[in-house]
Amino acid sequence: MDKNIGEQLNKAYEAYRQACMDRDHAVKELQLKTENYMQQLCEQQEQIELQNNIIAKLKSQLGALNANR
């Protein structure tokens, strides 16, 4: 009977250990994906800002052309 309890404890501990490793892996994967998402978001915000600046310059040039007509 003691041997059976010991085996059950070992199996339970191994299942717990595996669950912890799976959780740690999932946390690391989520952190990596979050970092990548944040980096992409920053890059896209920079692109939007650059495009807004270009639009503002083009509008200014268009306004100047329309004023000359």
Side-chain angles (χ1 to χ4, degrees):
M1 191 78 161
D2 288 336
K3 182 180 177 185
N4 190 18
I5 291 174
E7 287 177 12
Q8 288 177 344
L9 285 173
N10 284 339
K11 286 180 183 180
Y13 174 75
E14 185 58 34
Y16 171 77
R17 185 177 154 280
Q18 186 63 45
C20 288
M21 290 189 325
D22 290 347
R23 180 205 59 211
D24 292 345
H25 176 72
V27 167
K28 287 179 184 177
E29 188 174 341
L30 179 60
Q31 287 174 338
L32 181 61
K33 287 182 178 182
T34 300
E35 289 170 7
N36 288 339
Y37 170 77
M38 293 303 292
Q39 183 178 356
Q40 288 176 351
L41 185 61
C42 287
E43 290 171 2
Q44 289 174 348
Q45 287 174 335
E46 288 175 5
Q47 288 178 346
I48 289 170
E49 190 173 327
L50 178 62
Q51 289 175 353
N52 283 336
N53 289 338
I54 292 170
I55 290 169
K57 287 178 185 177
L58 289 173
K59 283 182 178 179
S60 175
Q61 290 174 358
L62 182 60
L65 286 174
N66 286 337
N68 290 337
R69 287 186 182 181

